[in-house]
Amino acid sequence: MKKFKVGIIGATGMVGQRFVSLTDGHPWFELTVVAASARSAGKTYEQAVGPRWALETPMPEAVKQMVVKNAAEDIREIAEQVDFVFSAVDMKKEEIQALEEAYAKAECPVVSNNSAHRWTPDVPMVVPEINPEHLAIIPAQRRRLGTERGFIAVKSNCSLQSYVPALHPLKAEFGLEKVLVCTYQAISGAGKTFETWPEMVDNVIPYIGGEEEKSEREPMKLWGRIEGNTIVNAISPAITAQCLRVPVSNGHMAAVFATFRDKPTREQILDRWSHFVGYPQQLKLPTAPRRFLQYFEENDRPQTRLDRMAEKGMAVSIGRLRPDTQYDYKFVCLSHNTLRGAAGGAVLLAELLCAEGYISHTAS
């Protein structure tokens, strides 16, 4: 098949680097443009990143000599060279909103890792296995923007990508009513490594700005519905969250407590997890994990170091399902925060958008 030409804006940061790595050798996508801030523009990608390459895998050879464009000033030029862009820019919320909308209005679809547009009522925030039907809001967004091709689609916050997928197959059937979750989040979620953040060695910080609010609110949009030209949020379950930064390089873990209207048996929960198949799995999208939800019977699993790379970091690992004295059940979950939770989730979303015809070939 003819590959889609892809640009990455914010390509020099940690998530941008993940996008670079994931598009290298991708069967559908060809990285054509890298863009970043004015201080990186005009340099080769290798020069712009320098010693800040943060991934375990080496920088792909194909990107090293690409000249970095100015993400804010070269919008028209970039839009003409690509079929869509991934957005991973590090700017103020209002600046990100304006920049992503400028790309969309230049008829360049935007698949964003950023939070800036997650609460724009006609911007779909999609975890492809959970709410692919929300892509149907895109025509309404295009009407608002006055575009034919351009639109913005976003992925949800990384902190909820571990536990919401585990709750999703149980929510409707058993009437999920109440959830308490404590997340234990890796330092890469802050764009850091132990070398750049030595304060995190042998340390836990019981606060991550904005994470608890996102963990409690964003599932309501994922589980919402389209009404007219907007996505209307769900009103249940009630979720309360506490988020901690822990001395782990990659991988967000969550301790989950859940109560249901119609309490399932343990066997029913395990059955729903083992048989859950999302739309990306049905479509056999390139980045889709074969088994999205994986349960471990061992009491000491999942473990971050052992299990974060399950299905190339795109699966959710679950363990320790057992009754609770305050809630119906408790269990733990794990996902890779910069793969499933960030760039990988956005790549899967882009594959879904291409498969469903929302992104088309235009770049020559």
Side-chain angles (χ1 to χ4, degrees):
M1 65 175 287
K2 179 184 177 183
K3 288 192 174 185
F4 293 89
K5 294 183 182 295
V6 178
I8 302 171
I9 58 174
T12 58
M14 184 175 285
V15 175
Q17 292 174 25
R18 277 287 183 201
F19 278 126
V20 167
S21 178
L22 291 171
T23 52
D24 184 51
H26 191 284
W28 290 12
F29 302 151
E30 177 187 353
L31 180 59
T32 305
V33 174
V34 288
S37 65
R39 66 178 177 271
S40 296
K43 300 177 182 177
T44 67
Y45 185 75
E46 188 174 30
Q47 291 170 338
V49 173
R52 294 182 297 110
W53 183 259
L55 306 187
E56 310 84 7
T57 54
M59 182 184 295
E61 290 294 328
V63 75
K64 286 183 177 180
Q65 297 308 310
M66 281 189 182
V67 176
V68 179
K69 296 189 181 297
N70 188 314
E73 295 183 4
D74 298 335
I75 295 173
R76 287 287 171 188
E77 181 184 348
I78 293 168
E80 291 174 357
Q81 295 179 24
V82 302
D83 296 312
F84 71 95
V85 295
F86 289 115
S87 176
V89 293
D90 183 12
M91 302 163 66
K92 295 178 180 178
K93 178 180 178 180
E94 295 78 12
E95 295 172 343
I96 296 173
Q97 288 175 328
L99 183 67
E100 291 182 347
E101 200 159 290
Y103 274 90
K105 288 182 176 179
E107 298 294 359
C108 181
V110 178
V111 182
S112 180
N113 181 71
N114 300 303
S115 64
H117 274 290
R118 287 182 192 155
W119 292 102
T120 305
D122 59 7
V123 170
M125 179 175 69
V126 175
V127 176
E129 287 89 350
I130 292 176
N131 62 328
E133 69 278 4
H134 283 195
L135 297 184
I137 197 71
I138 288 173
Q141 185 193 146
R142 283 172 168 160
R143 287 193 295 271
R144 174 178 63 84
L145 295 174
T147 62
E148 294 182 11
R149 291 187 71 252
F151 65 88
I152 302 163
V154 302
K155 51 156 288 300
S156 66
N157 190 45
C158 56
S159 65
L160 55 90
Q161 298 263 356
S162 55
Y163 66 90
V164 169
L167 293 169
H168 182 66
L170 314 174
K171 177 181 179 291
E173 182 178 0
F174 302 112
L176 181 64
E177 290 185 335
K178 189 169 62 170
V179 177
L180 181 151
V181 62
C182 296
T183 62
Y184 305 88
Q185 299 183 208
I187 62 174
S188 56
K192 304 286 189 178
T193 64
F194 287 116
E195 289 72 27
T196 61
W197 200 5
E199 297 86 352
M200 274 307 303
V201 176
D202 193 31
N203 195 21
V204 171
I205 299 176
Y207 172 75
I208 308 173
E211 288 293 293
E212 288 162 3
E213 295 83 356
K214 293 172 184 175
S215 293
E216 294 170 354
R217 293 180 62 217
E218 288 189 17
M220 299 300 101
K221 185 169 183 179
L222 292 177
W223 285 324
R225 66 191 185 280
I226 295 174
E227 285 189 9
N229 295 330
T230 64
I231 297 170
V232 177
N233 297 339
I235 58 174
S236 66
I239 301 177
T240 184
Q242 183 154 270
C243 301
L244 293 78
R245 188 73 72 192
V246 295
V248 167
S249 59
N250 293 293
H252 287 357
M253 188 168 282
V256 187
F257 303 77
T259 292
F260 301 87
R261 180 189 64 243
D262 302 312
K263 182 180 178 180
T265 65
R266 184 177 187 275
E267 290 69 27
Q268 284 177 313
I269 294 175
L270 294 175
D271 175 77
R272 302 312 184 266
W273 285 340
S274 66
H275 289 99
F276 179 75
V277 177
Y279 194 43
Q281 285 72 37
Q282 295 173 27
L283 295 177
K284 294 182 169 56
L285 298 178
T287 302
R290 185 178 56 84
R291 286 184 57 212
F292 181 37
L293 305 178
Q294 304 190 0
Y295 186 80
F296 289 88
E297 290 289 352
E298 298 93 330
N299 282 330
D300 61 353
R301 303 281 290 276
Q303 291 182 25
T304 303
R305 286 179 63 180
L306 295 179
D307 303 312
R308 62 190 166 200
M309 286 303 297
E311 300 262 8
K312 298 181 179 179
M314 290 298 290
V316 173
S317 299
I318 315 170
R320 302 206 69 207
L321 174 66
R322 59 214 191 277
D324 183 63
T325 57
Q326 307 293 317
Y327 291 72
D328 287 340
Y329 288 99
K330 54 189 171 187
F331 53 92
V332 295
C333 296
L334 172 71
S335 65
H336 196 300
N337 55 297
T338 68
L339 289 168
R340 165 55 71 170
V347 170
L348 183 59
L349 172 55
E351 292 169 1
L352 178 61
L353 288 160
C354 292
E356 294 293 282
Y358 291 101
I359 294 174
S360 57
H361 294 282
T362 61
S364 56

